[in-house]
Amino acid sequence: MKIFTIALVLSLFLFSNARAQTKMSLTQLAAHNKSDREKVLYEGAKAEGKITWYTSLAGESYKQLAAAFETKYPSVKVESYRATRQEMAARIMAEAQSQRYIVDTLETTIPLLKLLKDNKMIQPYYFPTEAKFPDNVKEKSPVKGLYYWAIDRESHIGLGYNKNSIPATLATKKYQGLLRPELKDKIGFAGSDTGMTVVGAMLKFKGEEYVKQLKSQNIAIHNVSGRALLDMVISGEIGVSPTIFRNHVEVSQKAGAPVAWIPMEVVPNNSGSTAVSTQAPHPHAALLLADFILGEGGQKVLQQYEYGNPTKDYGFKRWYPEQGLSTDQIEKLEEKWNKTMRDLAKKSF
């Protein structure tokens, strides 16, 4: 009888403990840093059945990342929405205004995440691999050990050039080298956020006088993405551009394109970070996906697509444009950078 009583008490304890785990709030789940974190999140995610993920990742990378997550956690279906930062911001704000909360986990650039943080729309959380990530790529919350987001991938912007039309001796690592007479009429900029960010780096590290001198090179601004501009470099339409992503070049090189990439004295980063919505309809799955993206599984997929890893040293100086700035400061700077870029151009397409 005594054995039966002990067994009954034990089973009731385990049952009540399991119920307590399933009833944990998002705040409690986000802070849960015990060894059973993955088990707790997956059990809850299986009951939730799916997750809605908003991401700015391009091409096949986000599809493969979602597929890798579903392979590891087969009971959880990922519903993805891919959008630019601006498109995502408009969608999230519209959903919030109508109190129709859809997004669970976000993967996008820092300016949008700062806006969401200011509006208390993202949840600080712990993730198991946080010790591997440098402090400057994690946005700390007031609670020790919890972060609003962490950078999960980097796109390094540097000099791309066509090896058939530009000699390697003219492929400069110094901004000053772009002023060489031999490069006049041969330099193109992406007229997107990519080009704007590069102009921001030039203003910050070389000054306004340098940018004025660069104008004499007859810069052509093409209102296309950095990827599309690389295609113009590959075709020979543009000889050289300081607004080219390293990972895009490495993918094109594998396909035999006559293009090369080198880091300049400062390498601006277009980075993507992972955050969790405070109104996540599927809280267990939301945190499980965030942990996955920032863990070995997600990082492996991103590196397969040549994205930079924030935990690695690539041997060049990286610059995070939004670091330490408020949302208002970012908006004002971007407005200045964009105007300076437009003034830089002799021709705009």
Side-chain angles (χ1 to χ4, degrees), residues 33 125-135 137-138 140 144-147 149-150 291 294-295 311:
N33 61 359
Y125 66 101
Y126 161 84
F127 59 100
T129 54
E130 63 91 10
K132 296 181 180 179
F133 288 71
D135 285 344
V137 304
K138 298 178 292 193
K140 293 180 180 179
K144 185 178 180 180
L146 302 187
Y147 304 92
W149 64 78
D291 288 0
L294 294 166
T311 69

PDB file of all heavy atoms in Angstrom, residues 33 125-135 137-138 140 144-147 149-150 291 294-295 311:
ATOM      1  N   ASN A  33      16.630  28.577 -19.098  1.00  0.00           N
ATOM      2  CA  ASN A  33      17.995  28.257 -19.531  1.00  0.00           C
ATOM      3  C   ASN A  33      18.508  26.950 -18.931  1.00  0.00           C
ATOM      4  O   ASN A  33      19.703  26.768 -18.723  1.00  0.00           O
ATOM      5  CB  ASN A  33      18.943  29.406 -19.188  1.00  0.00           C
ATOM      6  CG  ASN A  33      19.017  29.679 -17.693  1.00  0.00           C
ATOM      7  OD1 ASN A  33      18.347  29.021 -16.901  1.00  0.00           O
ATOM      8  ND2 ASN A  33      19.834  30.647 -17.301  1.00  0.00           N
ATOM      9  N   TYR A 125      15.208  37.164 -24.975  1.00  0.00           N
ATOM     10  CA  TYR A 125      15.253  35.720 -24.774  1.00  0.00           C
ATOM     11  C   TYR A 125      16.681  35.222 -24.604  1.00  0.00           C
ATOM     12  O   TYR A 125      17.647  35.882 -25.000  1.00  0.00           O
ATOM     13  CB  TYR A 125      14.573  34.984 -25.942  1.00  0.00           C
ATOM     14  CG  TYR A 125      15.280  35.122 -27.284  1.00  0.00           C
ATOM     15  CD1 TYR A 125      16.092  34.099 -27.782  1.00  0.00           C
ATOM     16  CD2 TYR A 125      15.118  36.265 -28.066  1.00  0.00           C
ATOM     17  CE1 TYR A 125      16.738  34.221 -29.002  1.00  0.00           C
ATOM     18  CE2 TYR A 125      15.746  36.390 -29.290  1.00  0.00           C
ATOM     19  CZ  TYR A 125      16.558  35.367 -29.761  1.00  0.00           C
ATOM     20  OH  TYR A 125      17.206  35.496 -30.978  1.00  0.00           O
ATOM     21  N   TYR A 126      16.792  34.072 -24.011  1.00  0.00           N
ATOM     22  CA  TYR A 126      18.050  33.345 -23.878  1.00  0.00           C
ATOM     23  C   TYR A 126      18.165  32.370 -25.040  1.00  0.00           C
ATOM     24  O   TYR A 126      17.162  31.842 -25.509  1.00  0.00           O
ATOM     25  CB  TYR A 126      18.057  32.581 -22.555  1.00  0.00           C
ATOM     26  CG  TYR A 126      19.063  31.448 -22.480  1.00  0.00           C
ATOM     27  CD1 TYR A 126      20.391  31.704 -22.139  1.00  0.00           C
ATOM     28  CD2 TYR A 126      18.688  30.137 -22.738  1.00  0.00           C
ATOM     29  CE1 TYR A 126      21.321  30.670 -22.074  1.00  0.00           C
ATOM     30  CE2 TYR A 126      19.603  29.095 -22.669  1.00  0.00           C
ATOM     31  CZ  TYR A 126      20.920  29.367 -22.343  1.00  0.00           C
ATOM     32  OH  TYR A 126      21.831  28.355 -22.289  1.00  0.00           O
ATOM     33  N   PHE A 127      19.391  32.147 -25.541  1.00  0.00           N
ATOM     34  CA  PHE A 127      19.582  31.071 -26.515  1.00  0.00           C
ATOM     35  C   PHE A 127      20.848  30.302 -26.142  1.00  0.00           C
ATOM     36  O   PHE A 127      21.829  30.880 -25.672  1.00  0.00           O
ATOM     37  CB  PHE A 127      19.631  31.595 -27.955  1.00  0.00           C
ATOM     38  CG  PHE A 127      20.714  32.602 -28.252  1.00  0.00           C
ATOM     39  CD1 PHE A 127      21.892  32.222 -28.883  1.00  0.00           C
ATOM     40  CD2 PHE A 127      20.552  33.945 -27.927  1.00  0.00           C
ATOM     41  CE1 PHE A 127      22.881  33.147 -29.173  1.00  0.00           C
ATOM     42  CE2 PHE A 127      21.531  34.876 -28.211  1.00  0.00           C
ATOM     43  CZ  PHE A 127      22.704  34.483 -28.846  1.00  0.00           C
ATOM     44  N   PRO A 128      20.835  28.981 -26.299  1.00  0.00           N
ATOM     45  CA  PRO A 128      21.894  28.121 -25.752  1.00  0.00           C
ATOM     46  C   PRO A 128      23.301  28.412 -26.263  1.00  0.00           C
ATOM     47  O   PRO A 128      24.271  28.122 -25.559  1.00  0.00           O
ATOM     48  CB  PRO A 128      21.437  26.714 -26.170  1.00  0.00           C
ATOM     49  CG  PRO A 128      19.959  26.826 -26.294  1.00  0.00           C
ATOM     50  CD  PRO A 128      19.708  28.200 -26.837  1.00  0.00           C
ATOM     51  N   THR A 129      23.435  28.969 -27.469  1.00  0.00           N
ATOM     52  CA  THR A 129      24.769  29.202 -28.035  1.00  0.00           C
ATOM     53  C   THR A 129      25.254  30.636 -27.811  1.00  0.00           C
ATOM     54  O   THR A 129      26.217  31.065 -28.429  1.00  0.00           O
ATOM     55  CB  THR A 129      24.768  28.900 -29.546  1.00  0.00           C
ATOM     56  OG1 THR A 129      23.717  29.655 -30.174  1.00  0.00           O
ATOM     57  CG2 THR A 129      24.552  27.416 -29.805  1.00  0.00           C
ATOM     58  N   GLU A 130      24.613  31.392 -26.927  1.00  0.00           N
ATOM     59  CA  GLU A 130      24.915  32.819 -26.795  1.00  0.00           C
ATOM     60  C   GLU A 130      26.374  33.087 -26.426  1.00  0.00           C
ATOM     61  O   GLU A 130      26.932  34.119 -26.817  1.00  0.00           O
ATOM     62  CB  GLU A 130      23.968  33.484 -25.785  1.00  0.00           C
ATOM     63  CG  GLU A 130      24.046  32.987 -24.365  1.00  0.00           C
ATOM     64  CD  GLU A 130      25.044  33.781 -23.525  1.00  0.00           C
ATOM     65  OE1 GLU A 130      25.515  34.826 -24.001  1.00  0.00           O
ATOM     66  OE2 GLU A 130      25.355  33.335 -22.419  1.00  0.00           O
ATOM     67  N   ALA A 131      27.025  32.187 -25.719  1.00  0.00           N
ATOM     68  CA  ALA A 131      28.420  32.408 -25.308  1.00  0.00           C
ATOM     69  C   ALA A 131      29.374  32.463 -26.495  1.00  0.00           C
ATOM     70  O   ALA A 131      30.463  33.050 -26.400  1.00  0.00           O
ATOM     71  CB  ALA A 131      28.852  31.321 -24.331  1.00  0.00           C
ATOM     72  N   LYS A 132      28.984  31.873 -27.628  1.00  0.00           N
ATOM     73  CA  LYS A 132      29.839  31.866 -28.821  1.00  0.00           C
ATOM     74  C   LYS A 132      29.800  33.190 -29.569  1.00  0.00           C
ATOM     75  O   LYS A 132      30.667  33.469 -30.391  1.00  0.00           O
ATOM     76  CB  LYS A 132      29.408  30.738 -29.770  1.00  0.00           C
ATOM     77  CG  LYS A 132      29.568  29.336 -29.203  1.00  0.00           C
ATOM     78  CD  LYS A 132      29.127  28.298 -30.231  1.00  0.00           C
ATOM     79  CE  LYS A 132      29.273  26.883 -29.694  1.00  0.00           C
ATOM     80  NZ  LYS A 132      28.823  25.869 -30.690  1.00  0.00           N
ATOM     81  N   PHE A 133      28.786  33.999 -29.307  1.00  0.00           N
ATOM     82  CA  PHE A 133      28.572  35.227 -30.063  1.00  0.00           C
ATOM     83  C   PHE A 133      29.197  36.417 -29.331  1.00  0.00           C
ATOM     84  O   PHE A 133      28.918  36.626 -28.151  1.00  0.00           O
ATOM     85  CB  PHE A 133      27.080  35.472 -30.282  1.00  0.00           C
ATOM     86  CG  PHE A 133      26.444  34.546 -31.275  1.00  0.00           C
ATOM     87  CD1 PHE A 133      26.250  33.200 -30.976  1.00  0.00           C
ATOM     88  CD2 PHE A 133      26.052  35.002 -32.518  1.00  0.00           C
ATOM     89  CE1 PHE A 133      25.677  32.326 -31.888  1.00  0.00           C
ATOM     90  CE2 PHE A 133      25.471  34.144 -33.448  1.00  0.00           C
ATOM     91  CZ  PHE A 133      25.289  32.801 -33.136  1.00  0.00           C
ATOM     92  N   PRO A 134      30.016  37.216 -30.023  1.00  0.00           N
ATOM     93  CA  PRO A 134      30.610  38.398 -29.377  1.00  0.00           C
ATOM     94  C   PRO A 134      29.545  39.347 -28.860  1.00  0.00           C
ATOM     95  O   PRO A 134      28.433  39.413 -29.398  1.00  0.00           O
ATOM     96  CB  PRO A 134      31.415  39.047 -30.520  1.00  0.00           C
ATOM     97  CG  PRO A 134      31.595  37.985 -31.553  1.00  0.00           C
ATOM     98  CD  PRO A 134      30.409  37.075 -31.435  1.00  0.00           C
ATOM     99  N   ASP A 135      29.887  40.103 -27.838  1.00  0.00           N
ATOM    100  CA  ASP A 135      28.924  41.030 -27.230  1.00  0.00           C
ATOM    101  C   ASP A 135      28.400  42.054 -28.237  1.00  0.00           C
ATOM    102  O   ASP A 135      27.244  42.476 -28.149  1.00  0.00           O
ATOM    103  CB  ASP A 135      29.563  41.762 -26.046  1.00  0.00           C
ATOM    104  CG  ASP A 135      29.699  40.870 -24.817  1.00  0.00           C
ATOM    105  OD1 ASP A 135      29.037  39.815 -24.776  1.00  0.00           O
ATOM    106  OD2 ASP A 135      30.471  41.223 -23.908  1.00  0.00           O
ATOM    107  N   VAL A 137      27.500  41.774 -31.211  1.00  0.00           N
ATOM    108  CA  VAL A 137      26.494  41.312 -32.169  1.00  0.00           C
ATOM    109  C   VAL A 137      25.214  40.849 -31.460  1.00  0.00           C
ATOM    110  O   VAL A 137      24.329  40.280 -32.079  1.00  0.00           O
ATOM    111  CB  VAL A 137      27.041  40.185 -33.075  1.00  0.00           C
ATOM    112  CG1 VAL A 137      28.292  40.630 -33.804  1.00  0.00           C
ATOM    113  CG2 VAL A 137      27.295  38.893 -32.306  1.00  0.00           C
ATOM    114  N   LYS A 138      25.134  41.129 -30.142  1.00  0.00           N
ATOM    115  CA  LYS A 138      23.945  40.794 -29.362  1.00  0.00           C
ATOM    116  C   LYS A 138      23.387  42.072 -28.746  1.00  0.00           C
ATOM    117  O   LYS A 138      24.146  42.882 -28.229  1.00  0.00           O
ATOM    118  CB  LYS A 138      24.278  39.786 -28.253  1.00  0.00           C
ATOM    119  CG  LYS A 138      24.794  38.442 -28.737  1.00  0.00           C
ATOM    120  CD  LYS A 138      25.153  37.509 -27.593  1.00  0.00           C
ATOM    121  CE  LYS A 138      26.369  37.999 -26.817  1.00  0.00           C
ATOM    122  NZ  LYS A 138      26.903  36.951 -25.896  1.00  0.00           N
ATOM    123  N   LYS A 140      21.661  43.467 -25.796  1.00  0.00           N
ATOM    124  CA  LYS A 140      21.342  43.096 -24.418  1.00  0.00           C
ATOM    125  C   LYS A 140      20.025  43.718 -23.964  1.00  0.00           C
ATOM    126  O   LYS A 140      19.666  44.812 -24.378  1.00  0.00           O
ATOM    127  CB  LYS A 140      22.458  43.556 -23.486  1.00  0.00           C
ATOM    128  CG  LYS A 140      23.777  42.833 -23.679  1.00  0.00           C
ATOM    129  CD  LYS A 140      24.819  43.345 -22.705  1.00  0.00           C
ATOM    130  CE  LYS A 140      26.150  42.620 -22.904  1.00  0.00           C
ATOM    131  NZ  LYS A 140      27.186  43.137 -21.971  1.00  0.00           N
ATOM    132  N   LYS A 144      19.851  40.286 -17.239  1.00  0.00           N
ATOM    133  CA  LYS A 144      21.116  39.635 -17.564  1.00  0.00           C
ATOM    134  C   LYS A 144      20.881  38.277 -18.224  1.00  0.00           C
ATOM    135  O   LYS A 144      20.082  37.474 -17.762  1.00  0.00           O
ATOM    136  CB  LYS A 144      21.948  39.453 -16.292  1.00  0.00           C
ATOM    137  CG  LYS A 144      23.336  38.895 -16.562  1.00  0.00           C
ATOM    138  CD  LYS A 144      24.151  38.786 -15.275  1.00  0.00           C
ATOM    139  CE  LYS A 144      25.540  38.221 -15.572  1.00  0.00           C
ATOM    140  NZ  LYS A 144      26.357  38.099 -14.332  1.00  0.00           N
ATOM    141  N   GLY A 145      21.601  38.045 -19.315  1.00  0.00           N
ATOM    142  CA  GLY A 145      21.510  36.763 -20.015  1.00  0.00           C
ATOM    143  C   GLY A 145      20.407  36.686 -21.046  1.00  0.00           C
ATOM    144  O   GLY A 145      20.278  35.670 -21.733  1.00  0.00           O
ATOM    145  N   LEU A 146      19.609  37.753 -21.182  1.00  0.00           N
ATOM    146  CA  LEU A 146      18.538  37.780 -22.180  1.00  0.00           C
ATOM    147  C   LEU A 146      18.849  38.858 -23.216  1.00  0.00           C
ATOM    148  O   LEU A 146      19.349  39.935 -22.876  1.00  0.00           O
ATOM    149  CB  LEU A 146      17.180  38.059 -21.536  1.00  0.00           C
ATOM    150  CG  LEU A 146      16.695  37.100 -20.450  1.00  0.00           C
ATOM    151  CD1 LEU A 146      15.261  37.443 -20.060  1.00  0.00           C
ATOM    152  CD2 LEU A 146      16.795  35.649 -20.904  1.00  0.00           C
ATOM    153  N   TYR A 147      18.501  38.561 -24.474  1.00  0.00           N
ATOM    154  CA  TYR A 147      18.843  39.457 -25.578  1.00  0.00           C
ATOM    155  C   TYR A 147      17.621  39.712 -26.459  1.00  0.00           C
ATOM    156  O   TYR A 147      16.807  38.814 -26.695  1.00  0.00           O
ATOM    157  CB  TYR A 147      19.973  38.843 -26.417  1.00  0.00           C
ATOM    158  CG  TYR A 147      21.191  38.523 -25.584  1.00  0.00           C
ATOM    159  CD1 TYR A 147      21.350  37.269 -25.004  1.00  0.00           C
ATOM    160  CD2 TYR A 147      22.158  39.488 -25.336  1.00  0.00           C
ATOM    161  CE1 TYR A 147      22.444  36.974 -24.209  1.00  0.00           C
ATOM    162  CE2 TYR A 147      23.262  39.210 -24.539  1.00  0.00           C
ATOM    163  CZ  TYR A 147      23.403  37.959 -23.978  1.00  0.00           C
ATOM    164  OH  TYR A 147      24.488  37.671 -23.181  1.00  0.00           O
ATOM    165  N   TRP A 149      17.916  40.513 -29.623  1.00  0.00           N
ATOM    166  CA  TRP A 149      18.265  39.817 -30.864  1.00  0.00           C
ATOM    167  C   TRP A 149      19.756  39.526 -30.887  1.00  0.00           C
ATOM    168  O   TRP A 149      20.520  40.040 -30.074  1.00  0.00           O
ATOM    169  CB  TRP A 149      17.890  40.641 -32.101  1.00  0.00           C
ATOM    170  CG  TRP A 149      18.621  41.949 -32.259  1.00  0.00           C
ATOM    171  CD1 TRP A 149      19.903  42.147 -32.713  1.00  0.00           C
ATOM    172  CD2 TRP A 149      18.104  43.264 -31.957  1.00  0.00           C
ATOM    173  NE1 TRP A 149      20.221  43.484 -32.715  1.00  0.00           N
ATOM    174  CE2 TRP A 149      19.132  44.195 -32.265  1.00  0.00           C
ATOM    175  CE3 TRP A 149      16.887  43.736 -31.492  1.00  0.00           C
ATOM    176  CZ2 TRP A 149      18.976  45.575 -32.096  1.00  0.00           C
ATOM    177  CZ3 TRP A 149      16.727  45.110 -31.318  1.00  0.00           C
ATOM    178  CH2 TRP A 149      17.755  46.005 -31.622  1.00  0.00           C
ATOM    179  N   ALA A 150      20.151  38.690 -31.815  1.00  0.00           N
ATOM    180  CA  ALA A 150      21.564  38.423 -32.081  1.00  0.00           C
ATOM    181  C   ALA A 150      21.737  38.321 -33.588  1.00  0.00           C
ATOM    182  O   ALA A 150      20.870  37.791 -34.290  1.00  0.00           O
ATOM    183  CB  ALA A 150      22.022  37.137 -31.401  1.00  0.00           C
ATOM    184  N   ASP A 291      16.377  29.546 -31.483  1.00  0.00           N
ATOM    185  CA  ASP A 291      17.516  28.752 -31.016  1.00  0.00           C
ATOM    186  C   ASP A 291      18.166  27.988 -32.165  1.00  0.00           C
ATOM    187  O   ASP A 291      19.399  27.867 -32.226  1.00  0.00           O
ATOM    188  CB  ASP A 291      17.061  27.750 -29.949  1.00  0.00           C
ATOM    189  CG  ASP A 291      16.724  28.408 -28.615  1.00  0.00           C
ATOM    190  OD1 ASP A 291      16.852  29.644 -28.514  1.00  0.00           O
ATOM    191  OD2 ASP A 291      16.329  27.673 -27.681  1.00  0.00           O
ATOM    192  N   LEU A 294      20.264  30.324 -34.526  1.00  0.00           N
ATOM    193  CA  LEU A 294      21.505  30.758 -33.886  1.00  0.00           C
ATOM    194  C   LEU A 294      22.364  29.589 -33.420  1.00  0.00           C
ATOM    195  O   LEU A 294      23.461  29.798 -32.885  1.00  0.00           O
ATOM    196  CB  LEU A 294      21.171  31.662 -32.691  1.00  0.00           C
ATOM    197  CG  LEU A 294      20.509  32.990 -33.072  1.00  0.00           C
ATOM    198  CD1 LEU A 294      19.900  33.659 -31.851  1.00  0.00           C
ATOM    199  CD2 LEU A 294      21.502  33.918 -33.752  1.00  0.00           C
ATOM    200  N   GLY A 295      21.881  28.392 -33.651  1.00  0.00           N
ATOM    201  CA  GLY A 295      22.624  27.193 -33.278  1.00  0.00           C
ATOM    202  C   GLY A 295      23.356  26.583 -34.461  1.00  0.00           C
ATOM    203  O   GLY A 295      23.376  27.120 -35.567  1.00  0.00           O
ATOM    204  N   THR A 311      30.584  34.924 -35.546  1.00  0.00           N
ATOM    205  CA  THR A 311      31.516  34.382 -34.563  1.00  0.00           C
ATOM    206  C   THR A 311      32.910  34.188 -35.145  1.00  0.00           C
ATOM    207  O   THR A 311      33.829  33.818 -34.419  1.00  0.00           O
ATOM    208  CB  THR A 311      31.010  33.031 -34.021  1.00  0.00           C
ATOM    209  OG1 THR A 311      31.077  32.040 -35.061  1.00  0.00           O
ATOM    210  CG2 THR A 311      29.578  33.129 -33.515  1.00  0.00           C
TER     211      THR A 311
END
